[in-house]
Amino acid sequence: MLKPLSWMAFIKAGYTSQGITFQALVDEFLKSLRLKLKAGGMTPKRYRKYEVAIAHFLEHGDIKPDMLVAEIKNQHILDFKHYMMSDNFEPGTIAGFLQCLKSVFLFGLRNELTRNNPFTGYKIGRKYREVRFLTEEEVDRLRMGAYE
């Protein structure tokens, strides 16, 4: 259940319905995922990925649980991506976390909890690792080592 807004938060959100906090949005989103998990439409491992992505986003420092969703901007997403890159997260992990966060905001839009989507105009690019195949010589050395 969503908590009522204080007048100050309502004014800060510009007298609109965007007065939901990030934590309230996350709570509603995770509640919907738990229903999906219970129904067998999601694995516990996948559910956990959403929890971890949200925790990292909050840990980043610029986002607080009581921050209004309307205050979260595209720059927060870019800062979060930079933080993960500087903390040596793999590109696939970064893209996965960003996709989880994007799902939270899209849930808010679909359910009319917010009108704000900081991912508008932001493309989550996945960088793929270059696959380097073994040469015939390397394969032969492996075969020789396996039989000795």
Side-chain angles (χ1 to χ4, degrees), residues 23-122:
Q23 187 62 56
L25 177 61
V26 166
D27 291 345
E28 290 295 313
F29 177 72
L30 291 178
K31 186 168 83 173
S32 75
L33 288 187
R34 283 191 295 274
L35 292 173
K36 192 174 182 180
L37 179 66
K38 190 175 180 180
M42 172 181 277
T43 64
K45 184 176 178 181
R46 183 70 192 148
Y47 177 82
R48 181 70 183 131
K49 286 181 183 181
Y50 284 98
E51 289 181 323
V52 170
I54 292 164
H56 277 288
F57 190 53
L58 287 169
E59 185 180 295
H60 171 50
D62 290 344
I63 304 296
K64 304 291 182 224
D66 60 346
M67 187 174 191
L68 294 173
V69 173
E71 296 175 314
I72 300 173
K73 305 296 179 202
N74 187 269
Q75 189 61 47
H76 290 103
I77 304 303
L78 295 173
D79 290 347
F80 179 59
K81 181 180 179 182
H82 178 72
Y83 154 76
M84 289 187 293
M85 289 170 65
S86 65
D87 211 21
N88 294 324
F89 282 88
E90 291 292 324
T93 303
I94 295 170
F97 281 179
L98 291 173
Q99 191 60 50
C100 288
L101 289 172
K102 185 176 182 178
S103 296
V104 172
F105 291 101
L106 290 177
F107 171 83
L109 288 170
R110 282 191 308 271
N111 291 286
E112 298 179 3
L113 298 173
T114 184
R115 293 184 198 154
N116 184 43
N117 181 5
F119 283 91
T120 299
Y122 182 84

